[in-house]
Coordinates of all heavy atoms in Angstrom, one line a residue:
M1 N -2.6 -24.1 -24.9 CA -2.6 -23.4 -23.6 C -4.0 -22.8 -23.3 O -4.7 -22.3 -24.2 CB -1.7 -22.2 -23.7 CG -1.5 -21.5 -22.3 SD -0.2 -20.2 -22.5 CE -0.5 -19.3 -21.1
V2 N -4.5 -23.1 -22.1 CA -5.8 -22.7 -21.7 C -5.8 -21.2 -21.4 O -5.0 -20.8 -20.6 CB -6.3 -23.5 -20.5 CG1 -7.7 -23.1 -20.1 CG2 -6.2 -25.0 -20.7
K3 N -6.8 -20.6 -22.0 CA -6.9 -19.1 -21.7 C -7.6 -18.9 -20.5 O -8.7 -19.4 -20.2 CB -7.6 -18.4 -22.9 CG -7.5 -16.9 -23.0 CD -8.1 -16.4 -24.2 CE -8.0 -14.9 -24.2 NZ -8.6 -14.3 -25.4
K4 N -7.0 -18.0 -19.6 CA -7.7 -17.8 -18.2 C -8.4 -16.5 -18.3 O -7.9 -15.5 -18.9 CB -6.6 -17.8 -17.1 CG -6.0 -19.1 -16.9 CD -5.0 -19.1 -15.7 CE -4.6 -20.5 -15.3 NZ -3.8 -21.1 -16.3
S5 N -9.5 -16.4 -17.6 CA -10.1 -15.1 -17.5 C -9.4 -14.2 -16.5 O -8.7 -14.6 -15.7 CB -11.6 -15.3 -17.0 OG -11.6 -15.6 -15.6
Y6 N -9.7 -12.9 -16.7 CA -9.1 -11.9 -15.8 C -9.4 -12.2 -14.3 O -8.6 -12.2 -13.5 CB -9.6 -10.5 -16.2 CG -9.0 -9.4 -15.3 CD1 -7.6 -9.0 -15.4 CD2 -9.8 -8.8 -14.4 CE1 -7.2 -8.1 -14.6 CE2 -9.4 -7.8 -13.6 CZ -8.0 -7.4 -13.7 OH -7.6 -6.4 -12.9
C7 N -10.7 -12.5 -14.1 CA -11.2 -12.8 -12.7 C -10.4 -14.0 -12.1 O -10.0 -13.9 -10.9 CB -12.6 -13.0 -12.6 SG -13.6 -11.5 -12.9
E8 N -10.2 -15.0 -12.9 CA -9.5 -16.2 -12.4 C -8.1 -15.9 -12.0 O -7.5 -16.3 -11.0 CB -9.6 -17.3 -13.5 CG -9.1 -18.6 -12.9 CD -9.1 -19.6 -14.0 OE1 -9.4 -19.3 -15.2 OE2 -8.8 -20.8 -13.7
M9 N -7.4 -15.0 -12.8 CA -6.0 -14.6 -12.5 C -6.0 -13.8 -11.2 O -5.1 -14.0 -10.4 CB -5.5 -13.8 -13.7 CG -5.1 -14.7 -14.9 SD -4.2 -13.8 -16.1 CE -5.4 -12.8 -16.8
I10 N -7.0 -12.9 -11.0 CA -7.0 -12.1 -9.8 C -7.1 -13.0 -8.6 O -6.5 -12.9 -7.6 CB -8.1 -11.1 -9.8 CG1 -7.8 -10.0 -10.9 CG2 -8.4 -10.5 -8.5 CD1 -6.7 -9.1 -10.6
S11 N -8.2 -14.0 -8.7 CA -8.4 -14.8 -7.5 C -7.2 -15.6 -7.2 O -7.0 -16.0 -6.0 CB -9.7 -15.7 -7.8 OG -9.4 -16.6 -8.8
R12 N -6.4 -16.1 -8.1 CA -5.2 -16.9 -7.9 C -4.0 -16.1 -7.4 O -3.0 -16.7 -7.0 CB -4.9 -17.7 -9.1 CG -6.0 -18.8 -9.3 CD -5.6 -19.7 -10.4 NE -6.7 -20.7 -10.5 CZ -6.7 -21.7 -11.4 NH1 -5.6 -21.9 -12.2 NH2 -7.7 -22.5 -11.5
S13 N -4.1 -14.8 -7.5 CA -3.0 -14.0 -7.0 C -3.1 -13.5 -5.6 O -2.3 -12.8 -5.1 CB -2.8 -12.7 -7.9 OG -3.8 -11.8 -7.7
Q14 N -4.2 -14.0 -4.9 CA -4.4 -13.6 -3.6 C -3.4 -14.2 -2.6 O -3.2 -15.4 -2.6 CB -5.7 -14.0 -3.0 CG -6.9 -13.3 -3.8 CD -7.3 -12.0 -3.2 OE1 -7.3 -11.9 -2.0 NE2 -7.6 -11.1 -4.1
P15 N -2.6 -13.4 -1.8 CA -1.7 -14.1 -0.9 C -2.4 -14.5 0.4 O -3.6 -14.2 0.6 CB -0.8 -12.8 -0.5 CG -1.7 -11.6 -0.6 CD -2.6 -12.0 -1.8
G16 N -1.8 -15.3 1.1 CA -2.4 -15.7 2.4 C -1.5 -15.2 3.5 O -0.4 -14.9 3.3
P17 N -2.1 -15.1 4.7 CA -1.3 -14.6 5.9 C -0.1 -15.5 6.1 O -0.2 -16.7 6.1 CB -2.3 -14.7 7.1 CG -3.7 -14.8 6.4 CD -3.5 -15.4 5.1
G18 N 1.0 -14.9 6.2 CA 2.2 -15.6 6.4 C 3.0 -16.0 5.1 O 4.1 -16.6 5.2
D19 N 2.4 -15.8 4.0 CA 3.0 -16.2 2.7 C 4.4 -15.5 2.6 O 5.3 -16.0 1.9 CB 2.1 -15.9 1.6 CG 1.1 -17.0 1.3 OD1 1.1 -17.9 2.1 OD2 0.3 -16.8 0.4
G20 N 4.5 -14.3 3.1 CA 5.8 -13.5 3.0 C 6.8 -13.8 4.1 O 7.7 -13.2 4.3
G21 N 6.4 -14.9 5.0 CA 7.3 -15.2 6.1 C 6.8 -14.4 7.3 O 5.9 -13.7 7.3
N22 N 7.6 -14.5 8.4 CA 7.3 -13.8 9.6 C 7.8 -12.3 9.5 O 8.7 -11.9 10.2 CB 8.1 -14.5 10.8 CG 7.6 -14.0 12.2 OD1 6.7 -13.1 12.2 ND2 8.2 -14.4 13.2
T23 N 7.0 -11.6 8.7 CA 7.4 -10.2 8.5 C 7.3 -9.3 9.6 O 7.9 -8.2 9.7 CB 6.6 -9.7 7.3 OG1 5.2 -10.0 7.5 CG2 7.0 -10.3 6.0
G24 N 6.5 -9.8 10.7 CA 6.4 -8.9 11.8 C 7.7 -8.7 12.6 O 7.8 -7.8 13.3
S25 N 8.6 -9.6 12.4 CA 9.9 -9.6 13.2 C 10.8 -8.4 12.8 O 11.7 -8.1 13.5 CB 10.6 -10.9 13.0 OG 11.0 -11.1 11.7
W26 N 10.6 -7.9 11.5 CA 11.5 -6.8 11.1 C 10.7 -5.5 10.9 O 11.2 -4.5 10.4 CB 12.3 -7.1 9.9 CG 11.6 -7.8 8.7 CD1 11.6 -9.1 8.4 CD2 10.8 -7.1 7.7 NE1 10.8 -9.3 7.2 CE2 10.3 -8.0 6.8 CE3 10.4 -5.8 7.5 CZ2 9.5 -7.8 5.7 CZ3 9.6 -5.4 6.4 CH2 9.2 -6.5 5.5
R27 N 9.5 -5.5 11.4 CA 8.7 -4.3 11.3 C 9.2 -3.1 12.1 O 9.6 -3.3 13.2 CB 7.3 -4.6 11.7 CG 6.2 -3.5 11.6 CD 4.9 -3.9 12.1 NE 5.0 -4.4 13.5 CZ 4.6 -5.6 13.9 NH1 4.1 -6.5 13.1 NH2 4.8 -5.9 15.2
V28 N 9.2 -1.9 11.6 CA 9.7 -0.7 12.3 C 8.6 0.2 12.7 O 8.8 1.0 13.6 CB 10.8 0.1 11.6 CG1 12.1 -0.8 11.4 CG2 10.3 0.5 10.2
K29 N 7.5 0.1 12.1 CA 6.3 0.9 12.4 C 5.1 -0.1 12.6 O 4.9 -1.1 11.8 CB 5.9 1.8 11.3 CG 6.9 2.9 11.1 CD 6.6 4.2 11.9 CE 7.4 5.3 11.5 NZ 7.1 6.5 12.3
R30 N 4.3 0.1 13.6 CA 3.2 -0.8 13.9 C 1.9 0.0 13.7 O 1.6 1.1 14.2 CB 3.2 -1.2 15.4 CG 2.1 -2.1 15.7 CD 2.1 -2.5 17.3 NE 3.4 -3.1 17.6 CZ 3.5 -3.8 18.8 NH1 2.4 -3.9 19.6 NH2 4.6 -4.4 19.1
P31 N 0.9 -0.7 13.0 CA -0.4 0.0 12.8 C -1.2 -0.2 14.1 O -1.4 -1.3 14.6 CB -1.0 -0.8 11.7 CG -0.4 -2.1 11.7 CD 1.0 -1.9 12.2
V32 N -1.7 0.9 14.6 CA -2.5 0.9 15.8 C -3.9 1.4 15.5 O -4.0 2.6 14.9 CB -1.9 1.7 17.0 CG1 -2.8 1.8 18.1 CG2 -0.5 1.1 17.3
M33 N -4.9 0.6 15.7 CA -6.3 1.0 15.3 C -7.1 1.6 16.4 O -7.1 1.1 17.5 CB -7.0 -0.3 14.8 CG -8.3 0.0 14.1 SD -9.0 -1.6 13.5 CE -7.8 -2.3 12.3
D34 N -7.6 2.8 16.1 CA -8.5 3.5 17.1 C -9.9 3.0 16.9 O -10.6 3.4 15.9 CB -8.3 4.9 17.0 CG -9.2 5.7 18.0 OD1 -10.0 5.1 18.7 OD2 -9.0 6.9 18.2
Q35 N -10.5 2.2 17.8 CA -11.7 1.6 17.6 C -12.9 2.6 17.7 O -14.0 2.4 17.3 CB -12.0 0.4 18.5 CG -10.8 -0.6 18.4 CD -11.2 -2.0 18.5 OE1 -12.2 -2.3 19.0 NE2 -10.4 -2.8 17.9
K36 N -12.6 3.7 18.3 CA -13.6 4.8 18.4 C -13.8 5.5 17.1 O -14.8 6.2 16.8 CB -13.2 5.8 19.5 CG -13.2 5.2 20.9 CD -13.2 6.4 21.9 CE -11.8 7.0 22.2 NZ -10.8 6.1 22.6
K37 N -12.8 5.4 16.2 CA -12.8 6.0 14.8 C -13.2 4.9 13.8 O -13.8 5.3 12.7 CB -11.5 6.6 14.5 CG -11.2 7.8 15.2 CD -9.9 8.4 14.7 CE -9.4 9.6 15.5 NZ -8.1 10.1 15.1
C38 N -12.9 3.7 14.0 CA -13.1 2.6 13.0 C -14.6 2.4 12.7 O -15.4 2.3 13.7 CB -12.5 1.3 13.5 SG -12.9 -0.1 12.4
I39 N -15.0 2.5 11.5 CA -16.4 2.5 11.1 C -17.2 1.3 11.6 O -18.2 1.4 12.3 CB -16.6 2.8 9.6 CG1 -16.1 4.2 9.2 CG2 -18.0 2.6 9.1 CD1 -15.8 4.5 7.8
P40 N -16.7 0.0 11.2 CA -17.4 -1.1 11.7 C -17.4 -1.3 13.2 O -18.4 -1.7 13.8 CB -16.7 -2.3 11.0 CG -15.5 -1.8 10.4 CD -15.7 -0.4 10.3
A41 N -16.3 -0.9 13.8 CA -16.2 -1.0 15.3 C -17.2 -0.1 16.0 O -17.9 -0.5 16.9 CB -14.8 -0.7 15.8
K42 N -17.4 1.2 15.5 CA -18.2 2.1 16.2 C -19.7 2.0 15.8 O -20.6 2.3 16.5 CB -17.8 3.5 16.0 CG -17.9 4.2 14.6 CD -17.4 5.6 14.7 CE -17.6 6.3 13.3 NZ -17.1 7.6 13.3
T43 N -19.9 1.4 14.6 CA -21.4 1.2 14.2 C -21.9 -0.2 14.5 O -23.1 -0.4 14.5 CB -21.5 1.5 12.7 OG1 -20.8 0.5 12.0 CG2 -21.1 2.9 12.4
G44 N -20.9 -1.2 14.6 CA -21.3 -2.6 14.8 C -21.8 -3.2 13.5 O -22.4 -4.3 13.5
K45 N -21.6 -2.5 12.3 CA -22.1 -3.0 11.1 C -20.9 -3.4 10.2 O -19.8 -2.8 10.2 CB -22.9 -1.9 10.4 CG -24.1 -1.6 11.1 CD -25.0 -0.6 10.4 CE -26.2 -0.3 11.2 NZ -26.9 1.0 10.8
P46 N -21.1 -4.5 9.4 CA -20.0 -4.9 8.5 C -19.8 -4.0 7.2 O -20.3 -4.3 6.2 CB -20.4 -6.3 8.1 CG -22.0 -6.3 8.2 CD -22.3 -5.3 9.2
S47 N -19.2 -2.9 7.5 CA -19.0 -1.9 6.4 C -17.5 -1.6 6.4 O -16.8 -1.9 7.3 CB -19.8 -0.7 6.7 OG -19.5 -0.2 7.9
C48 N -17.1 -0.9 5.3 CA -15.7 -0.4 5.1 C -14.8 -1.5 4.8 O -14.7 -2.0 3.7 CB -15.3 0.5 6.2 SG -13.7 1.2 5.9
F49 N -14.1 -2.0 5.8 CA -13.0 -3.0 5.7 C -12.0 -2.7 4.5 O -11.4 -3.6 3.9 CB -13.7 -4.4 5.4 CG -14.5 -4.9 6.5 CD1 -15.8 -5.2 6.3 CD2 -14.0 -5.0 7.8 CE1 -16.6 -5.7 7.4 CE2 -14.8 -5.5 8.9 CZ -16.1 -5.8 8.7
T50 N -11.8 -1.4 4.4 CA -10.8 -1.0 3.4 C -9.4 -1.5 3.8 O -8.6 -1.9 2.9 CB -10.8 0.5 3.3 OG1 -12.1 1.0 3.0 CG2 -9.9 1.1 2.2
C51 N -9.1 -1.5 5.1 CA -7.8 -2.1 5.6 C -7.7 -3.5 5.1 O -6.6 -4.0 4.7 CB -7.6 -1.8 7.0 SG -9.1 -2.4 8.0
W52 N -8.7 -4.3 5.3 CA -8.7 -5.7 5.0 C -8.5 -5.8 3.4 O -7.7 -6.7 3.0 CB -10.1 -6.3 5.3 CG -10.3 -7.6 4.7 CD1 -9.9 -8.8 5.2 CD2 -11.1 -7.9 3.5 NE1 -10.3 -9.8 4.3 CE2 -11.1 -9.3 3.3 CE3 -11.8 -7.0 2.7 CZ2 -11.8 -9.9 2.2 CZ3 -12.5 -7.6 1.6 CH2 -12.4 -9.1 1.4
L53 N -9.1 -4.9 2.7 CA -9.0 -5.0 1.2 C -7.7 -4.7 0.7 O -7.1 -5.4 -0.2 CB -10.1 -4.1 0.6 CG -10.2 -4.0 -0.9 CD1 -10.7 -5.4 -1.4 CD2 -11.1 -2.9 -1.4
Y54 N -7.0 -3.7 1.3 CA -5.8 -3.2 0.7 C -4.5 -3.9 1.3 O -3.5 -3.8 0.8 CB -5.6 -1.7 0.9 CG -6.4 -0.9 -0.2 CD1 -7.7 -0.6 0.0 CD2 -5.8 -0.5 -1.3 CE1 -8.4 0.1 -1.0 CE2 -6.4 0.1 -2.3 CZ -7.7 0.5 -2.1 OH -8.4 1.2 -3.2
C55 N -4.6 -4.5 2.5 CA -3.4 -5.1 3.1 C -2.8 -6.1 2.2 O -3.4 -7.1 1.8 CB -3.8 -5.7 4.4 SG -2.3 -6.6 5.1
P56 N -1.5 -5.9 1.7 CA -0.9 -6.8 0.8 C -0.6 -8.2 1.4 O -0.2 -9.1 0.6 CB 0.4 -6.0 0.4 CG 0.7 -5.1 1.5 CD -0.7 -4.7 2.1
D57 N -0.6 -8.3 2.7 CA -0.3 -9.6 3.3 C -1.5 -10.3 3.9 O -1.3 -11.3 4.5 CB 0.8 -9.4 4.4 CG 2.1 -9.1 3.8 OD1 2.5 -9.7 2.8 OD2 2.9 -8.2 4.3
C58 N -2.7 -9.7 3.6 CA -3.9 -10.3 4.1 C -3.9 -10.6 5.6 O -4.2 -11.7 6.1 CB -4.2 -11.6 3.4 SG -4.7 -11.4 1.7
V59 N -3.4 -9.7 6.4 CA -3.3 -9.9 7.8 C -4.3 -9.2 8.6 O -4.2 -9.2 9.9 CB -1.8 -9.6 8.4 CG1 -0.8 -10.6 7.7 CG2 -1.5 -8.2 8.2
V60 N -5.3 -8.5 7.9 CA -6.3 -7.8 8.6 C -7.6 -8.7 8.5 O -7.9 -9.1 7.4 CB -6.6 -6.4 8.0 CG1 -7.7 -5.7 8.9 CG2 -5.3 -5.6 8.0
S61 N -8.3 -8.9 9.6 CA -9.5 -9.8 9.6 C -10.7 -8.9 9.2 O -10.7 -7.8 9.5 CB -9.7 -10.4 10.9 OG -10.0 -9.4 11.9
K62 N -11.6 -9.6 8.5 CA -12.9 -8.9 8.1 C -13.9 -9.2 9.2 O -14.9 -9.9 9.0 CB -13.3 -9.5 6.8 CG -14.3 -8.6 6.1 CD -14.6 -9.2 4.7 CE -15.5 -8.3 3.9 NZ -15.9 -9.0 2.7
T63 N -13.6 -8.7 10.4 CA -14.4 -8.9 11.6 C -14.8 -7.6 12.2 O -14.2 -6.6 11.9 CB -13.6 -9.8 12.6 OG1 -12.4 -9.1 12.9 CG2 -13.3 -11.2 12.1
I64 N -15.7 -7.7 13.2 CA -16.1 -6.4 13.9 C -15.6 -6.6 15.3 O -16.1 -7.4 16.1 CB -17.6 -6.2 13.9 CG1 -18.1 -6.1 12.5 CG2 -17.9 -5.0 14.7 CD1 -19.6 -6.0 12.3
P65 N -14.6 -5.8 15.8 CA -13.8 -4.9 15.0 C -12.7 -5.7 14.2 O -12.4 -6.8 14.5 CB -13.1 -4.1 16.1 CG -12.9 -5.0 17.2 CD -14.2 -5.9 17.2
P66 N -12.1 -5.0 13.2 CA -11.1 -5.7 12.4 C -9.9 -5.9 13.4 O -9.7 -5.1 14.3 CB -10.7 -4.7 11.3 CG -11.9 -3.7 11.3 CD -12.4 -3.7 12.6
A67 N -9.1 -7.0 13.1 CA -7.9 -7.2 14.0 C -6.7 -7.4 13.0 O -6.9 -8.0 11.9 CB -8.1 -8.4 14.8
I68 N -5.6 -7.0 13.5 CA -4.4 -7.1 12.7 C -3.5 -8.1 13.3 O -3.2 -8.1 14.5 CB -3.6 -5.7 12.6 CG1 -4.5 -4.7 11.9 CG2 -2.3 -5.9 11.8 CD1 -4.0 -3.3 12.0
N69 N -3.1 -9.1 12.5 CA -2.1 -10.2 13.0 C -0.7 -9.6 12.9 O -0.1 -9.5 11.8 CB -2.2 -11.4 12.1 CG -1.4 -12.5 12.6 OD1 -0.4 -12.3 13.3 ND2 -1.8 -13.8 12.3
L70 N -0.2 -9.2 14.0 CA 1.1 -8.5 14.1 C 2.3 -9.5 13.9 O 3.4 -9.0 13.7 CB 1.3 -7.8 15.4 CG 0.3 -6.6 15.6 CD1 0.5 -6.0 17.0 CD2 0.6 -5.5 14.5
D71 N 2.0 -10.8 13.9 CA 3.1 -11.7 13.6 C 3.5 -11.5 12.1 O 4.7 -11.8 11.8 CB 2.7 -13.1 13.8 CG 2.6 -13.5 15.3 OD1 3.2 -12.8 16.1 OD2 1.9 -14.5 15.6
Y72 N 2.6 -11.2 11.3 CA 2.9 -11.2 9.8 C 2.7 -9.7 9.2 O 3.1 -9.5 8.0 CB 2.0 -12.1 9.1 CG 2.2 -13.5 9.6 CD1 1.2 -14.2 10.3 CD2 3.4 -14.2 9.4 CE1 1.3 -15.5 10.7 CE2 3.6 -15.5 9.9 CZ 2.6 -16.1 10.6 OH 2.8 -17.4 11.0
C73 N 2.3 -8.8 10.0 CA 2.2 -7.4 9.5 C 3.6 -6.8 9.3 O 4.4 -6.9 10.2 CB 1.4 -6.5 10.5 SG 1.6 -4.8 10.3
K74 N 3.9 -6.3 8.1 CA 5.2 -5.8 7.9 C 5.4 -4.4 8.1 O 6.4 -3.8 7.9 CB 5.7 -6.2 6.5 CG 4.8 -5.6 5.3 CD 5.3 -6.2 4.0 CE 4.3 -5.7 2.9 NZ 4.5 -6.5 1.7
G75 N 4.3 -3.7 8.5 CA 4.4 -2.3 8.9 C 4.5 -1.4 7.6 O 5.0 -0.3 7.7
C76 N 3.9 -1.8 6.5 CA 4.0 -0.9 5.3 C 3.2 0.3 5.4 O 3.5 1.3 4.7 CB 3.6 -1.8 4.1 SG 1.8 -2.2 4.1
G77 N 2.1 0.3 6.2 CA 1.3 1.6 6.3 C 0.3 1.8 5.3 O -0.4 2.9 5.3
I78 N 0.0 0.8 4.5 CA -1.0 1.0 3.4 C -2.3 1.1 4.1 O -3.2 2.0 3.7 CB -0.9 -0.1 2.4 CG1 0.4 -0.1 1.6 CG2 -2.2 -0.2 1.5 CD1 0.5 -1.2 0.6
C79 N -2.6 0.3 5.1 CA -3.9 0.3 5.8 C -4.2 1.8 6.4 O -5.3 2.3 6.2 CB -4.0 -0.7 6.9 SG -2.6 -0.6 8.0
A80 N -3.1 2.3 6.9 CA -3.3 3.7 7.6 C -3.5 4.7 6.5 O -4.3 5.6 6.7 CB -2.1 4.0 8.4
E81 N -2.8 4.5 5.4 CA -3.0 5.5 4.3 C -4.3 5.4 3.6 O -4.9 6.5 3.3 CB -1.9 5.1 3.2 CG -1.7 6.1 2.1 CD -1.1 7.5 2.5 OE1 -0.3 7.5 3.5 OE2 -1.5 8.5 2.0
E82 N -4.9 4.3 3.5 CA -6.2 4.1 2.8 C -7.4 4.2 3.7 O -8.5 4.4 3.2 CB -6.2 2.7 2.2 CG -5.2 2.5 1.1 CD -5.3 3.4 -0.1 OE1 -6.5 3.9 -0.3 OE2 -4.4 3.8 -0.7
C83 N -7.3 4.1 5.0 CA -8.4 4.1 5.9 C -9.2 5.5 5.8 O -8.6 6.5 6.0 CB -8.0 3.9 7.4 SG -9.4 4.2 8.6
P84 N -10.4 5.4 5.4 CA -11.2 6.7 5.2 C -11.5 7.4 6.5 O -11.9 8.6 6.4 CB -12.5 6.2 4.5 CG -12.7 4.8 5.0 CD -11.3 4.2 5.2
A85 N -11.4 6.7 7.6 CA -11.7 7.4 8.9 C -10.5 7.9 9.7 O -10.7 8.3 10.8 CB -12.6 6.4 9.7
G86 N -9.3 7.7 9.2 CA -8.1 8.0 9.9 C -8.0 7.2 11.2 O -7.5 7.7 12.2
A87 N -8.5 6.0 11.2 CA -8.5 5.2 12.4 C -7.3 4.4 12.7 O -7.1 3.7 13.7 CB -9.7 4.2 12.4
I88 N -6.3 4.4 11.7 CA -5.1 3.7 11.9 C -3.9 4.6 11.9 O -3.7 5.4 11.0 CB -4.9 2.6 10.8 CG1 -6.1 1.6 10.8 CG2 -3.6 1.8 11.1 CD1 -6.1 0.6 9.7
E89 N -3.1 4.5 13.0 CA -1.9 5.3 13.1 C -0.7 4.4 13.1 O -0.7 3.4 13.7 CB -2.0 6.1 14.5 CG -0.8 7.0 14.7 CD -0.8 7.7 16.1 OE1 -1.7 7.4 16.9 OE2 0.1 8.4 16.4
M90 N 0.4 4.8 12.4 CA 1.6 4.0 12.4 C 2.5 4.6 13.5 O 2.9 5.7 13.5 CB 2.3 4.2 11.0 CG 1.5 3.6 9.8 SD 0.9 1.9 10.0 CE 2.5 1.0 10.0
V91 N 2.8 3.7 14.4 CA 3.5 4.1 15.6 C 4.9 3.4 15.6 O 5.0 2.2 15.2 CB 2.8 3.7 16.9 CG1 3.5 4.0 18.1 CG2 1.4 4.3 16.9
D92 N 6.0 4.1 16.0 CA 7.3 3.5 16.0 C 7.3 2.2 16.9 O 6.8 2.2 18.0 CB 8.3 4.5 16.6 CG 8.8 5.5 15.6 OD1 8.6 5.2 14.4 OD2 9.3 6.5 16.1
E93 N 7.8 1.1 16.3 CA 7.8 -0.1 17.0 C 8.7 0.0 18.3 O 8.4 -0.6 19.3 CB 8.5 -1.2 16.0 CG 8.3 -2.7 16.5 CD 6.8 -3.1 16.5 OE1 6.0 -2.7 15.6 OE2 6.4 -3.7 17.5
A94 N 9.7 0.8 18.3 CA 10.6 1.0 19.5 C 9.8 1.5 20.6 O 10.2 1.1 21.8 CB 11.7 2.0 19.1
S95 N 8.7 2.2 20.5 CA 8.0 2.7 21.6 C 7.2 1.6 22.4 O 6.7 1.8 23.5 CB 7.0 3.8 21.1 OG 5.9 3.2 20.4
F96 N 7.2 0.3 21.9 CA 6.5 -0.7 22.5 C 7.5 -1.6 23.3 O 7.1 -2.5 24.0 CB 5.7 -1.6 21.5 CG 4.6 -0.9 20.8 CD1 4.8 -0.3 19.6 CD2 3.4 -0.8 21.4 CE1 3.7 0.4 19.0 CE2 2.3 -0.1 20.8 CZ 2.5 0.5 19.6
I97 N 8.7 -1.4 23.1 CA 9.8 -2.2 23.8 C 9.7 -2.1 25.3 O 9.6 -1.0 25.8 CB 11.2 -1.8 23.4 CG1 11.4 -2.1 21.9 CG2 12.2 -2.5 24.2 CD1 12.7 -1.6 21.3
G98 N 9.5 -3.2 26.0 CA 9.4 -3.2 27.4 C 8.0 -3.1 27.9 O 7.7 -3.1 29.1
K99 N 7.0 -2.8 27.0 CA 5.7 -2.6 27.4 C 4.8 -3.8 27.2 O 3.6 -3.8 27.5 CB 5.0 -1.4 26.7 CG 5.7 -0.1 27.0 CD 5.1 1.1 26.3 CE 5.7 2.4 26.6 NZ 5.3 3.5 25.8
E100 N 5.4 -4.9 26.5 CA 4.6 -6.1 26.3 C 5.2 -7.2 26.9 O 6.4 -7.3 27.2 CB 4.6 -6.3 24.8 CG 3.9 -5.2 24.0 CD 4.0 -5.3 22.5 OE1 5.0 -5.9 22.0 OE2 3.0 -4.9 21.8
K101 N 4.4 -8.2 27.3 CA 4.9 -9.5 27.9 C 5.3 -10.4 26.8 O 4.7 -10.5 25.8 CB 3.9 -10.1 28.8 CG 3.6 -9.2 30.0 CD 2.5 -9.8 30.9 CE 2.2 -8.9 32.0 NZ 1.1 -9.3 32.8
Ligands
LIG201 S1 -10.2 1.1 6.9 FE1 -10.3 2.2 8.9 S2 -12.5 2.5 9.2 FE2 -12.4 1.0 7.6 S3 -12.4 -1.0 8.8 FE3 -10.3 -0.5 8.5 S4 -9.7 0.7 10.4 FE4 -12.0 0.6 10.2
LIG202 S1 0.8 -2.1 7.9 FE1 -1.3 -2.5 7.4 S2 -1.4 -2.9 5.2 FE2 0.8 -3.1 5.9 S3 1.0 -5.3 6.4 FE3 0.5 -4.2 8.3 S4 -1.8 -4.5 8.4 FE4 -1.2 -4.9 6.3

């Protein structure tokens, strides 16, 4: 048996967006990002990205500003919990009913 390094095991355990299925369909809370508080959005610099790092479904982009793919976000709230700037609020999904096309 080939012995694998710790780093190799970590890199192979990375999920991809959608690996958990269309988890956005059963989400009850939606992460809403306030770009006035988000560090890369307000500074224009590629910094922080804690939400990208911690999202277990890899559905946050490492872009300025970061974007959340709501098709696959399961609403776990980890991003909101970990954001150092308090820029993500978990909002009841029911409050969006009838407000989107
Ligand atoms: S963790 Fe918060 S401040 Fe950092 S990139 Fe994400 S939303 Fe912005
Ligand atoms: S709530 Fe945040 S951490 Fe959880 S799946 Fe959605 S974007 Fe990722």
